[in-house]
Amino acid sequence: LKRLTLPSSITSIGYRAFYECSGLTSLTISSNITKIGGEAFEHCYRLTSLNLPDGITTIGSNAFYGCSGLTSINLPASI
């Protein structure tokens, strides 16, 4: 899995949903996502940037733990 675009029908990303998807380089999160569960993207170390939509209200613990390739994260004002 290298690229992921979550459709607008998805409203949350569950616990460890993409845990250790080490090949993931690109992630597009729809504006309907409000919650990212704990450890959801843990050890996705090839992920380099992330844009979180304004609707995000919760980011679980260690959601991006071990994502050592992340160099850019855009957070909404609501976080």
Side-chain angles (χ1 to χ4, degrees), residues 4-7 9-19 21 24 27-42 44 47 50-53 56-61 63-64:
L4 179 64
T5 299
L6 297 174
S9 60
I10 305 281
T11 59
S12 67
I13 300 170
Y15 174 76
R16 285 192 168 188
F18 300 98
Y19 178 79
C21 284
L24 187 63
L27 174 64
T28 303
I29 297 176
S30 80
S31 60
N32 290 339
I33 297 288
T34 59
K35 178 183 176 185
I36 297 175
E39 301 174 19
F41 296 96
E42 186 170 331
C44 293
L47 190 60
L50 185 61
N51 291 312
L52 298 178
I56 292 280
T57 58
T58 305
I59 299 175
S61 65
F64 300 99

